[in-house]
Amino acid sequence: MHHENDGWLSPCYALLASALTLVLASFTFQLAPGYFDVVTHPIDIKTIKSKIKTKVYKNREEFTDDCKRMFSNCRAYNDSTTEYYQCADTLEAFLVALLL
């Protein structure tokens, strides 16, 4: 399968691997009461990391779309005062800067 320049995947993988070992490592959808009532199209960092590792993403847009959905889901479920909401904002800003 041909992919747009795979060079951008390495820093993205490193970012997600780091995030996974930090705050988001302990999150599971099953432990979040009502999560699936709020979020209809869930995606998590573990799935994104797996898709990077197995080269599912054909281009940057597919990757960033999944990340944006993950951040949006996080903000939809969590109150803006929580560390999860703030982490989503921080990671999204870092990702945008990384991919510019």
XYZ file of all heavy atoms in Angstrom:
805
model
N 0.836 -1.165 0.000
C 0.000 0.000 0.000
C 0.891 1.242 0.000
O 1.798 1.370 0.799
C -0.887 -0.040 1.254
C -1.871 1.073 1.310
S -2.985 1.059 2.754
C -3.090 -0.631 3.274
N 0.643 2.180 -0.918
C 1.437 3.404 -1.013
C 0.904 4.438 -0.035
O -0.280 4.661 0.070
C 1.373 3.955 -2.437
C 2.108 5.237 -2.602
N 3.481 5.314 -2.530
C 1.667 6.487 -2.811
C 3.845 6.566 -2.703
N 2.761 7.290 -2.879
N 1.821 5.063 0.689
C 1.463 6.083 1.648
C 2.189 7.370 1.321
O 3.334 7.351 0.868
C 1.841 5.657 3.079
C 1.061 4.495 3.563
N 1.353 3.196 3.220
C -0.027 4.431 4.357
C 0.497 2.384 3.784
N -0.353 3.102 4.479
N 1.489 8.504 1.581
C 2.126 9.802 1.476
C 3.369 9.752 2.357
O 3.386 9.066 3.363
C 1.141 10.856 1.987
C 1.670 12.256 1.989
C 0.677 13.201 2.663
O -0.394 13.431 2.091
O 1.002 13.676 3.751
N 4.402 10.458 2.008
C 5.663 10.467 2.751
C 5.482 10.041 4.207
O 4.899 10.738 5.009
C 6.270 11.867 2.681
C 7.612 11.944 3.376
O 8.095 10.994 3.978
N 8.221 13.095 3.275
N 5.977 8.850 4.536
C 5.829 8.297 5.878
C 6.696 9.001 6.912
O 6.619 8.691 8.092
C 6.157 6.796 5.883
C 5.076 5.954 5.232
O 3.952 6.440 5.075
O 5.377 4.806 4.884
N 7.522 9.954 6.513
C 8.410 10.638 7.432
C 7.693 11.335 8.576
O 8.226 11.479 9.667
N 6.473 11.783 8.374
C 5.722 12.474 9.420
C 5.210 11.522 10.488
O 4.859 11.942 11.585
C 4.556 13.261 8.817
C 3.555 12.399 8.109
C 3.587 12.026 6.801
C 2.403 11.778 8.666
N 2.524 11.218 6.507
C 1.774 11.054 7.639
C 1.830 11.779 9.939
C 0.614 10.328 7.843
C 0.672 11.050 10.138
C 0.076 10.333 9.095
N 5.202 10.229 10.200
C 4.669 9.267 11.162
C 5.546 9.116 12.397
O 5.033 8.947 13.499
C 4.491 7.896 10.510
C 3.263 7.719 9.637
C 3.322 6.386 8.906
C 1.995 7.826 10.445
N 6.853 9.188 12.251
C 7.745 8.969 13.390
C 7.513 9.942 14.539
O 7.327 9.521 15.681
C 9.199 9.023 12.946
O 9.462 7.923 12.113
N 7.490 11.268 14.288
C 7.238 12.164 15.418
C 5.832 12.002 15.985
O 5.618 12.156 17.188
C 7.453 13.564 14.848
C 7.506 13.418 13.381
C 7.837 11.995 13.075
N 4.871 11.662 15.144
C 3.499 11.450 15.618
C 3.445 10.220 16.517
O 2.792 10.229 17.570
C 2.541 11.276 14.445
S 2.378 12.768 13.453
N 4.116 9.177 16.104
C 4.150 7.961 16.913
C 4.808 8.254 18.257
O 4.319 7.828 19.296
C 4.903 6.852 16.189
C 4.932 5.564 16.964
C 3.838 4.708 16.943
C 6.032 5.221 17.744
C 3.848 3.533 17.685
C 6.041 4.049 18.475
C 4.948 3.206 18.434
O 4.957 2.058 19.176
N 5.900 9.010 18.247
C 6.595 9.343 19.493
C 5.688 10.160 20.414
O 5.626 9.912 21.620
C 7.883 10.114 19.190
N 4.971 11.125 19.852
C 4.041 11.934 20.644
C 2.977 11.066 21.286
O 2.711 11.151 22.484
C 3.376 13.003 19.762
C 2.158 13.705 20.358
C 2.566 14.579 21.531
C 1.438 14.506 19.296
N 2.368 10.201 20.501
C 1.289 9.371 21.023
C 1.797 8.330 22.006
O 1.136 8.028 22.995
C 0.526 8.721 19.871
C -0.287 9.735 19.063
C -0.840 9.080 17.809
C -1.405 10.329 19.883
N 2.973 7.804 21.763
C 3.543 6.838 22.707
C 3.792 7.505 24.056
O 3.506 6.928 25.106
C 4.834 6.261 22.145
N 4.281 8.736 24.027
C 4.515 9.472 25.272
C 3.210 9.769 25.981
O 3.085 9.583 27.189
C 5.238 10.788 24.984
O 6.515 10.533 24.486
N 2.227 10.233 25.239
C 0.925 10.554 25.839
C 0.289 9.311 26.428
O -0.321 9.352 27.495
C 0.011 11.181 24.791
N 0.446 8.207 25.740
C -0.142 6.955 26.214
C 0.433 6.554 27.562
O -0.291 6.078 28.431
C 0.096 5.841 25.188
C -0.540 4.487 25.487
C -2.053 4.606 25.554
C -0.143 3.489 24.429
N 1.706 6.783 27.760
C 2.318 6.397 29.025
C 2.073 7.424 30.123
O 2.356 7.173 31.282
C 3.840 6.184 28.874
O 4.433 7.390 28.401
C 4.133 5.042 27.936
N 1.528 8.583 29.777
C 1.244 9.605 30.777
C -0.210 9.521 31.229
O -0.671 8.495 31.682
C 1.565 11.004 30.213
C 3.027 11.253 29.894
C 3.211 12.574 29.169
C 3.846 11.261 31.174
N -0.940 10.577 31.086
C -2.294 10.713 31.634
C -3.287 9.712 31.070
O -4.105 9.159 31.806
C -2.820 12.141 31.361
C -4.243 12.306 31.862
C -1.909 13.163 31.996
N -3.242 9.449 29.787
C -4.312 8.695 29.154
C -4.179 7.184 29.264
O -5.072 6.460 28.871
C -4.403 9.096 27.674
C -4.629 10.594 27.447
C -4.614 10.899 25.956
C -5.914 11.062 28.073
N -3.069 6.704 29.805
C -2.825 5.266 29.855
C -3.874 4.520 30.666
O -4.199 3.379 30.362
C -1.439 4.989 30.417
N -4.429 5.150 31.675
C -5.365 4.455 32.556
C -6.821 4.590 32.115
O -7.701 3.980 32.710
C -5.217 4.981 33.989
O -5.527 6.351 34.012
N -7.097 5.391 31.097
C -8.466 5.610 30.675
C -9.020 4.406 29.908
O -8.379 3.880 29.015
C -8.567 6.848 29.782
C -9.955 7.090 29.276
C -10.890 7.708 30.085
C -10.330 6.676 28.014
C -12.182 7.919 29.632
C -11.613 6.880 27.554
C -12.545 7.507 28.366
N -10.194 3.974 30.283
C -10.922 2.979 29.490
C -12.356 3.440 29.366
O -12.921 4.014 30.298
C -10.892 1.571 30.119
O -11.533 1.630 31.385
C -9.480 1.048 30.270
N -12.944 3.234 28.221
C -14.319 3.660 27.990
C -15.280 3.012 28.982
O -16.236 3.623 29.413
C -14.760 3.315 26.563
C -13.983 4.034 25.494
C -13.462 3.336 24.430
C -13.771 5.400 25.551
C -12.759 3.996 23.428
C -13.071 6.068 24.573
C -12.563 5.356 23.506
N -15.011 1.762 29.352
C -15.911 1.036 30.237
C -16.003 1.669 31.621
O -16.989 1.504 32.311
C -15.478 -0.424 30.371
C -15.620 -1.234 29.094
C -14.540 -0.942 28.050
O -13.460 -0.444 28.358
N -14.838 -1.217 26.793
N -14.963 2.382 32.050
C -14.952 2.996 33.370
C -15.500 4.418 33.361
O -15.538 5.064 34.397
C -13.529 2.999 33.943
C -12.892 1.622 34.124
C -11.475 1.768 34.650
C -13.713 0.774 35.086
N -15.913 4.912 32.225
C -16.444 6.266 32.109
C -17.968 6.193 31.996
O -18.496 5.916 30.926
C -15.839 6.958 30.895
N -18.672 6.430 33.101
C -20.132 6.307 33.096
C -20.789 7.211 32.050
O -20.497 8.400 31.981
C -20.543 6.753 34.504
C -19.310 6.788 35.318
C -18.151 6.900 34.380
N -21.636 6.628 31.220
C -22.371 7.381 30.214
C -21.554 7.840 29.025
O -22.041 8.605 28.197
N -20.323 7.362 28.909
C -19.452 7.819 27.820
C -20.099 7.611 26.452
O -20.118 8.513 25.617
C -18.095 7.105 27.868
C -17.116 7.625 26.848
C -16.370 8.771 27.107
C -16.942 6.992 25.622
C -15.474 9.274 26.176
C -16.047 7.482 24.687
C -15.319 8.624 24.969
O -14.439 9.113 24.025
N -20.657 6.441 26.248
C -21.232 6.131 24.931
C -22.566 6.828 24.694
O -23.070 6.838 23.572
C -21.337 4.617 24.736
C -19.993 3.959 24.666
C -19.545 3.157 25.698
C -19.153 4.161 23.586
C -18.290 2.556 25.646
C -17.897 3.570 23.524
C -17.473 2.765 24.557
N -23.140 7.427 25.723
C -24.325 8.267 25.545
C -23.929 9.635 24.997
O -24.704 10.273 24.292
C -25.063 8.463 26.878
C -25.624 7.159 27.427
O -25.963 6.265 26.624
O -25.714 7.046 28.664
N -22.726 10.067 25.318
C -22.225 11.376 24.893
C -21.431 11.269 23.596
O -21.580 12.085 22.690
C -21.329 11.996 26.004
C -20.707 13.299 25.539
C -22.110 12.199 27.285
N -20.610 10.244 23.498
C -19.701 10.076 22.353
C -20.203 8.937 21.471
O -20.229 7.787 21.880
C -18.264 9.791 22.850
C -17.341 9.502 21.683
C -17.754 10.955 23.679
N -20.605 9.285 20.264
C -21.167 8.278 19.358
C -20.134 7.658 18.421
O -20.396 6.608 17.845
C -22.309 8.886 18.521
O -21.824 10.045 17.837
C -23.482 9.285 19.416
N -18.990 8.298 18.254
C -17.924 7.778 17.391
C -16.612 7.760 18.172
O -15.714 8.585 17.924
C -17.788 8.602 16.110
C -18.974 8.513 15.225
N -20.006 9.415 15.281
C -19.314 7.593 14.290
C -20.921 9.070 14.404
N -20.543 7.967 13.792
N -16.477 6.823 19.112
C -15.278 6.818 19.958
C -14.010 6.409 19.202
O -14.067 5.658 18.227
C -15.610 5.794 21.035
C -16.639 4.911 20.431
C -17.403 5.758 19.460
N -12.929 6.986 19.646
C -11.596 6.576 19.202
C -10.663 6.904 20.362
O -10.884 7.879 21.068
C -11.141 7.263 17.899
C -9.818 6.660 17.430
C -11.032 8.765 18.058
C -9.646 6.578 15.955
N -9.677 6.072 20.552
C -8.758 6.309 21.660
C -7.323 6.327 21.159
O -7.029 5.949 20.030
C -8.945 5.264 22.769
C -8.739 3.855 22.273
O -7.739 3.603 21.572
O -9.564 2.988 22.588
N -6.461 6.769 22.026
C -5.057 6.931 21.669
C -4.398 5.585 21.351
O -3.523 5.496 20.502
C -4.309 7.705 22.772
C -3.060 8.343 22.192
C -4.032 6.859 23.980
C -2.522 9.462 23.051
N -4.876 4.542 22.005
C -4.326 3.202 21.746
C -4.645 2.746 20.310
O -3.798 2.181 19.620
C -4.936 2.225 22.760
C -4.147 1.000 23.004
C -4.836 0.206 24.105
C -3.849 -0.616 24.858
N -4.454 -1.375 25.936
N -5.858 3.051 19.854
C -6.256 2.709 18.479
C -5.445 3.513 17.471
O -4.969 2.969 16.468
C -7.764 2.961 18.278
O -8.487 2.169 19.224
C -8.210 2.625 16.869
N -5.280 4.794 17.738
C -4.494 5.641 16.838
C -3.049 5.142 16.781
O -2.452 5.038 15.709
C -4.565 7.121 17.270
C -5.989 7.647 17.098
C -3.572 7.970 16.472
C -6.230 9.023 17.696
N -2.497 4.829 17.935
C -1.119 4.317 17.990
C -0.992 3.029 17.168
O -0.048 2.858 16.397
C -0.739 4.062 19.450
C 0.673 3.604 19.649
C 0.964 3.402 21.130
C 2.313 2.766 21.334
N 2.591 2.442 22.724
N -1.965 2.149 17.297
C -1.955 0.894 16.530
C -2.048 1.166 15.028
O -1.371 0.522 14.224
C -3.115 0.010 16.986
O -3.209 -1.126 16.181
N -2.891 2.133 14.650
C -3.046 2.466 13.230
C -1.762 3.074 12.651
O -1.456 2.875 11.476
C -4.236 3.407 13.035
C -5.575 2.707 13.246
C -6.741 3.671 13.265
C -7.240 3.951 11.887
N -8.515 4.748 11.906
N -1.009 3.799 13.479
C 0.281 4.333 13.031
C 1.262 3.177 12.842
O 1.916 3.059 11.810
C 0.852 5.344 14.045
C 0.034 6.633 14.033
C 2.322 5.651 13.735
C 0.405 7.597 15.139
N 1.332 2.325 13.852
C 2.279 1.214 13.844
C 2.057 0.276 12.655
O 2.996 -0.233 12.056
C 2.150 0.446 15.157
C 3.369 -0.274 15.590
C 3.168 -0.816 16.996
C 4.431 -1.418 17.514
N 4.291 -1.964 18.846
N 0.793 0.050 12.308
C 0.466 -0.872 11.212
C 0.283 -0.147 9.872
O -0.147 -0.751 8.893
C -0.803 -1.674 11.549
O -1.886 -0.775 11.801
C -0.578 -2.570 12.752
N 0.601 1.156 9.871
C 0.555 1.972 8.650
C -0.809 1.968 7.962
O -0.912 1.911 6.734
C 1.664 1.580 7.683
C 3.041 1.815 8.261
C 4.121 1.642 7.241
C 5.459 1.978 7.891
N 6.502 2.158 6.927
N -1.849 2.060 8.762
C -3.211 2.142 8.229
C -3.456 3.509 7.584
O -4.127 3.601 6.563
C -4.255 1.870 9.344
C -5.662 2.195 8.887
C -4.149 0.431 9.814
N -2.889 4.548 8.190
C -3.098 5.898 7.658
C -2.379 6.056 6.330
O -1.186 5.825 6.226
C -2.586 6.955 8.649
C -3.345 6.970 9.954
C -2.708 6.700 11.156
C -4.706 7.255 9.981
C -3.400 6.721 12.353
C -5.410 7.270 11.176
C -4.753 7.004 12.355
O -5.433 7.021 13.539
N -3.132 6.479 5.304
C -2.558 6.670 3.984
C -1.967 8.067 3.834
O -1.155 8.313 2.961
C -3.624 6.453 2.922
C -4.134 5.030 2.867
C -5.169 4.891 1.765
C -6.126 3.775 2.081
N -7.365 4.210 2.683
N -2.412 8.991 4.690
C -1.927 10.364 4.613
C -2.137 11.066 5.952
O -2.768 10.533 6.850
C -2.626 11.131 3.480
C -4.136 11.065 3.606
O -4.699 11.397 4.652
N -4.798 10.629 2.546
N -1.592 12.253 6.036
C -1.667 13.042 7.261
C -3.101 13.364 7.662
O -3.432 13.409 8.840
C -0.925 14.356 7.042
C 0.183 14.583 7.996
C 0.787 15.925 7.715
N 2.057 15.702 7.043
C 3.098 16.462 7.180
N 3.034 17.540 7.909
N 4.220 16.173 6.584
N -3.918 13.629 6.677
C -5.312 14.017 6.943
C -6.064 12.922 7.700
O -6.820 13.214 8.629
C -6.026 14.357 5.634
C -7.418 14.912 5.861
C -8.070 15.352 4.568
O -7.462 16.160 3.832
O -9.186 14.883 4.306
N -5.873 11.676 7.312
C -6.544 10.572 8.016
C -6.115 10.522 9.482
O -6.929 10.326 10.378
C -6.242 9.235 7.336
C -6.923 9.064 6.002
C -6.606 7.726 5.353
O -5.897 6.894 5.960
O -7.072 7.512 4.224
N -4.816 10.697 9.703
C -4.286 10.710 11.056
C -4.849 11.878 11.862
O -5.354 11.705 12.970
C -2.756 10.774 11.017
C -2.133 11.073 12.348
C -2.074 10.091 13.327
C -1.615 12.325 12.620
C -1.509 10.362 14.567
C -1.039 12.599 13.849
C -0.993 11.621 14.830
N -4.774 13.082 11.293
C -5.242 14.258 12.033
C -6.747 14.212 12.267
O -7.221 14.663 13.310
C -4.845 15.581 11.345
O -5.333 15.596 10.017
C -3.346 15.765 11.340
N -7.507 13.640 11.347
C -8.952 13.502 11.554
C -9.251 12.633 12.779
O -10.121 12.968 13.586
C -9.640 12.911 10.327
C -9.759 13.900 9.181
O -9.504 15.110 9.382
O -10.110 13.461 8.063
N -8.534 11.521 12.915
C -8.729 10.665 14.088
C -8.336 11.391 15.370
O -9.034 11.308 16.387
C -7.926 9.363 13.971
C -8.667 8.280 13.217
O -9.845 8.485 12.844
O -8.061 7.208 13.006
N -7.226 12.109 15.324
C -6.781 12.854 16.511
C -7.792 13.928 16.885
O -8.154 14.073 18.060
C -5.416 13.472 16.284
S -4.080 12.258 16.238
N -8.259 14.674 15.900
C -9.253 15.718 16.175
C -10.518 15.114 16.776
O -11.112 15.693 17.691
C -9.603 16.469 14.884
C -8.523 17.410 14.414
C -8.943 18.053 13.110
C -7.839 18.887 12.509
N -8.231 19.440 11.205
N -10.926 13.957 16.276
C -12.111 13.286 16.817
C -11.867 12.870 18.268
O -12.733 13.035 19.126
C -12.481 12.068 15.965
C -13.724 11.362 16.452
C -14.307 10.406 15.432
N -13.333 9.613 14.731
C -13.235 8.290 14.819
N -14.061 7.608 15.584
N -12.326 7.640 14.129
N -10.668 12.361 18.555
C -10.347 11.966 19.921
C -10.382 13.179 20.858
O -10.966 13.119 21.943
C -8.961 11.309 19.978
C -8.550 10.897 21.377
S -6.903 10.162 21.442
C -5.875 11.567 20.997
N -9.781 14.294 20.438
C -9.776 15.492 21.265
C -11.194 16.039 21.446
O -11.581 16.445 22.543
C -8.869 16.572 20.666
C -7.430 16.146 20.526
C -6.714 16.436 19.383
C -6.783 15.466 21.544
C -5.383 16.068 19.258
C -5.444 15.078 21.431
C -4.752 15.384 20.280
N -11.951 16.045 20.380
C -13.332 16.523 20.436
C -14.173 15.654 21.368
O -14.971 16.164 22.165
C -13.916 16.538 19.020
O -15.257 16.930 19.051
N -14.015 14.339 21.259
C -14.730 13.417 22.147
C -14.380 13.678 23.603
O -15.253 13.684 24.480
C -14.394 11.960 21.808
C -14.989 11.500 20.499
O -15.832 12.159 19.907
N -14.515 10.358 20.021
N -13.109 13.889 23.849
C -12.643 14.151 25.216
C -13.297 15.408 25.774
O -13.777 15.429 26.906
C -11.120 14.277 25.220
S -10.430 14.571 26.854
N -13.331 16.454 24.960
C -13.936 17.707 25.416
C -15.448 17.597 25.548
O -16.046 18.230 26.408
C -13.531 18.849 24.492
C -12.076 19.251 24.666
C -11.737 20.507 23.886
N -11.691 20.247 22.461
C -10.565 20.042 21.774
N -9.397 20.086 22.374
N -10.609 19.826 20.487
N -16.073 16.785 24.712
C -17.530 16.605 24.809
C -17.907 15.879 26.098
O -18.917 16.205 26.725
C -18.046 15.825 23.595
N -17.104 14.921 26.507
C -17.425 14.116 27.687
C -17.003 14.781 28.999
O -17.695 14.690 30.005
C -16.774 12.729 27.584
C -17.082 11.860 28.772
C -18.339 11.262 28.903
C -16.148 11.660 29.776
C -18.640 10.490 30.012
C -16.438 10.877 30.879
C -17.693 10.296 30.989
O -17.981 9.528 32.096
N -15.881 15.470 28.985
C -15.312 16.030 30.215
C -15.601 17.520 30.353
O -15.626 18.249 29.370
C -13.792 15.812 30.237
C -13.442 14.352 30.305
O -13.588 13.726 31.333
N -12.991 13.800 29.182
N -15.768 17.951 31.579
C -15.949 19.365 31.888
C -14.651 20.114 31.581
O -13.559 19.565 31.727
C -16.309 19.507 33.372
C -16.622 20.931 33.735
O -17.760 21.366 33.487
O -15.708 21.612 34.254
N -14.774 21.373 31.200
C -13.595 22.156 30.804
C -12.608 22.392 31.948
O -11.477 22.796 31.700
C -14.023 23.504 30.214
O -14.703 24.270 31.189
N -13.024 22.124 33.171
C -12.118 22.323 34.316
C -11.284 21.081 34.637
O -10.400 21.150 35.485
C -12.916 22.714 35.575
O -13.835 21.663 35.887
C -13.667 24.022 35.360
N -11.536 19.974 33.941
C -10.822 18.736 34.258
C -9.466 18.673 33.567
O -9.236 19.302 32.534
C -11.632 17.492 33.848
O -11.762 17.490 32.422
C -13.002 17.468 34.505
N -8.581 17.858 34.140
C -7.262 17.673 33.537
C -7.372 16.979 32.182
O -6.537 17.195 31.307
C -6.341 16.885 34.467
C -6.768 15.449 34.697
C -5.843 14.714 35.659
O -4.626 14.649 35.410
O -6.358 14.195 36.651
N -8.404 16.172 31.977
C -8.576 15.471 30.697
C -8.882 16.462 29.579
O -8.324 16.378 28.483
C -9.681 14.420 30.798
C -9.408 13.413 31.882
C -10.153 13.414 33.057
C -8.388 12.483 31.754
C -9.893 12.496 34.065
C -8.116 11.565 32.753
C -8.874 11.579 33.914
O -8.601 10.682 34.907
N -9.769 17.383 29.848
C -10.130 18.418 28.881
C -8.894 19.253 28.553
O -8.580 19.507 27.390
C -11.233 19.295 29.472
C -11.900 20.241 28.508
C -13.166 19.970 28.015
C -11.275 21.426 28.112
C -13.795 20.853 27.140
C -11.894 22.311 27.247
C -13.155 22.021 26.769
O -13.770 22.893 25.905
N -8.193 19.680 29.588
C -7.003 20.504 29.403
C -5.885 19.741 28.689
O -5.160 20.303 27.867
C -6.544 21.052 30.750
C -7.564 22.027 31.327
C -7.373 22.318 32.804
O -6.380 21.944 33.400
N -8.351 22.993 33.393
N -5.769 18.458 28.968
C -4.783 17.619 28.286
C -5.112 17.530 26.794
O -4.213 17.596 25.951
C -4.752 16.232 28.916
S -3.498 15.144 28.229
N -6.391 17.400 26.462
C -6.809 17.358 25.058
C -6.403 18.650 24.351
O -5.880 18.617 23.236
C -8.315 17.132 24.949
N -6.638 19.790 25.008
C -6.240 21.078 24.420
C -4.728 21.150 24.205
O -4.266 21.577 23.153
C -6.674 22.235 25.325
C -8.161 22.534 25.240
O -8.834 22.038 24.320
O -8.644 23.290 26.109
N -3.969 20.720 25.205
C -2.506 20.777 25.129
C -1.961 19.861 24.042
O -1.115 20.258 23.231
C -1.888 20.400 26.495
O -2.375 21.310 27.482
C -0.375 20.450 26.449
N -2.452 18.622 24.017
C -1.983 17.679 22.995
C -2.374 18.125 21.594
O -1.591 17.994 20.651
C -2.545 16.282 23.261
C -1.842 15.472 24.321
C -2.615 14.178 24.594
C -0.428 15.139 23.906
N -3.574 18.669 21.457
C -3.998 19.124 20.141
C -3.124 20.286 19.653
O -2.705 20.303 18.492
C -5.470 19.548 20.163
C -6.004 19.896 18.795
C -7.498 20.098 18.780
O -8.056 20.605 19.773
O -8.112 19.732 17.777
N -2.826 21.231 20.532
C -1.964 22.360 20.163
C -0.569 21.866 19.774
O 0.023 22.334 18.796
C -1.879 23.357 21.316
N -0.048 20.908 20.521
C 1.269 20.359 20.215
C 1.249 19.633 18.871
O 2.163 19.787 18.056
C 1.711 19.405 21.328
C 3.093 18.868 21.130
C 4.206 19.647 21.393
C 3.276 17.579 20.665
C 5.487 19.161 21.200
C 4.555 17.071 20.471
C 5.655 17.862 20.746
N 0.217 18.880 18.625
C 0.097 18.141 17.373
C 0.008 19.089 16.183
O 0.666 18.876 15.163
C -1.130 17.226 17.410
C -1.343 16.368 16.182
C -0.270 15.287 16.096
C -2.718 15.722 16.207
N -0.772 20.149 16.315
C -0.909 21.130 15.242
C 0.462 21.754 14.943
O 0.858 21.866 13.786
C -1.949 22.218 15.604
C -1.867 23.413 14.663
C -3.349 21.621 15.588
N 1.181 22.127 15.988
C 2.518 22.708 15.805
C 3.475 21.707 15.159
O 4.287 22.059 14.309
C 3.068 23.187 17.140
N 3.373 20.444 15.526
C 4.241 19.393 15.007
C 4.006 19.159 13.517
O 4.942 18.936 12.753
C 3.992 18.091 15.772
C 4.832 16.872 15.406
C 6.272 17.085 15.834
C 4.255 15.637 16.068
N 2.759 19.244 13.093
C 2.417 18.901 11.705
C 2.377 20.091 10.752
O 2.133 19.917 9.572
C 1.072 18.167 11.677
C 1.076 16.794 12.333
C -0.305 16.183 12.309
C 2.075 15.865 11.667
N 2.619 21.290 11.246
C 2.619 22.462 10.364
C 3.835 22.474 9.476
O 4.869 22.025 9.745
C 2.547 23.740 11.161
C 1.183 24.069 11.744
C 1.242 25.396 12.490
C 0.106 24.137 10.675
